[in-house]
Amino acid sequence: MSEYDRRDTKKIIRPGSTIGVLGGGQLGRMMALAGRAMGYRFITLDPTVDSPCGQVADRQIVAAYHDIEAARMLSEQSDVITYEFENVDAEVTELLMEESYVPQGSRLLYITQHRLREKQAIESAGVKVAPYAQIASSAQLREELQRLGTPCVLKTATGGYDGKGQWVIRSIDEADEAYEEISRAGTELVLEQFIDFDKEISVIAARSPRGEVKAFPAAENIHVNNILHLSIVPARMDEAVQQEAEQLAIQIAESLNVVGLIAVEMFVTHEGELYVNELAPRPHNSGHYTMEACKTSQFEQHMRAICNLPLGSTELLTPVVMGNILGQHVEPAMDWIMQPESEQVGSGITAKLHMYGKQEAKDNRKMGHLNVLAPSVDEALQWIEASGIWSTKE
């Protein structure tokens, strides 16, 4: 019997129950804030004292993610368990699956923790990914570069985020150096053909155990130094391509029997073709715009999905641009929030600040975000430029 077959598609976790969150970062924090408004209680497990999620949960278990006894404690005190990041220890995941109700299951973690397995699963869903190859040696890397051409991107199959664990190879002469550097991680490697894309977008889809599935509007994503800077909604692209992207996200969610959220990151070529780049089985940075701009936020939707409640409407209420506040942007953001309201925003524009409660503001560390609601995305982008908050992006 498969993991999916063992799921209780009729079980409902009613408000008033306790939700356990594996991970105490900002995604867990925003999950808990949304869930508390619905009447749920929260307990989180995280090694950091006074973690972002711990600050708003009913209780935090301070322990390492691989601590079996701490995981058992989380299990005993929770009616349902979710996770806010995908690099969950396999032994802990197995224990929680045996002793708790984890509707998201472990199969999706197994797939998305490994880029090669992830690409194969996406292809099995009938969705395109960039041409790729598994790499086991420098000689094989050279051979595949000849086949795929340059530029290509050499990545570790596991780990890596915000541009870490990868090397853009622009010439075959870089092959030996790239292999030597990236292979130090001691994991399998994957080479991906570089897609000459026009835009990077993402779509977040939700699916419940009962099989209900919905997608949020596609977000156009702008990165700076491989870190998400802006998410623009509606995406500035042909409406038919947006609809196709949302349908592909639903297709993947259904093919993988997702429970909860899955974020599907895609490249859009100049010809309007879509290639899936990565999956994330959880709320996603590019979905923060939903907190004010949609009838249901991604965090409330995640709660609804894992608790098997009816999913909420994903309708977009207003154009919006989400801007990440990194460590170097905190002081300008604090200066902005203390200004009189008349000086903070222009006519017809509303800006909503969310800070994550992290103790130390380091450069390029995600500390919060700002959702700028406006009559059009152009007006929101103009406000972001004029605010001065992001004048230093490096």
Side-chain angles (χ1 to χ4, degrees), residues 192-247:
E192 299 175 7
Q193 187 179 75
F194 189 85
I195 299 295
D196 182 20
F197 60 86
D198 179 48
K199 285 181 170 57
E200 294 179 90
I201 65 169
S202 57
V203 176
I204 296 170
R207 185 177 177 277
S208 67
R210 66 180 77 188
E212 185 182 10
V213 61
K214 291 186 179 181
F216 286 96
E220 175 187 347
N221 298 319
I222 308 295
H223 293 80
V224 173
N225 296 330
N226 295 309
I227 301 172
L228 182 63
H229 171 43
L230 302 176
S231 288
I232 302 166
V233 186
R236 298 169 297 179
M237 53 193 282
D238 187 84
E239 188 174 341
V241 179
Q242 293 182 48
Q243 292 175 353
E244 181 185 357
E246 290 158 23
Q247 184 54 46

Side-chain angles (χ1 to χ4, degrees), residues 19-64:
I19 297 174
V21 182
L22 192 56
Q26 65 262 24
L27 297 178
R29 177 190 183 93
M30 289 181 276
M31 280 186 207
L33 288 171
R36 288 179 75 94
M38 300 169 70
Y40 291 101
R41 294 182 177 275
F42 284 83
I43 180 170
T44 184
L45 190 160
D46 192 272
T48 304
V49 176
D50 196 38
S51 69
C53 184
Q55 292 167 12
V56 300
D58 296 272
R59 185 183 174 199
Q60 177 178 334
I61 300 170
V62 180

Side-chain angles (χ1 to χ4, degrees), residues 109-134:
L109 284 175
Y110 175 79
I111 290 170
T112 57
Q113 284 174 346
H114 194 281
R115 286 190 172 94
L116 286 165
R117 291 195 292 261
E118 181 177 89
K119 290 178 183 301
Q120 291 160 2
I122 294 166
E123 288 179 315
S124 295
V127 179
K128 289 188 296 188
V129 298
Y132 66 96
Q134 184 174 353

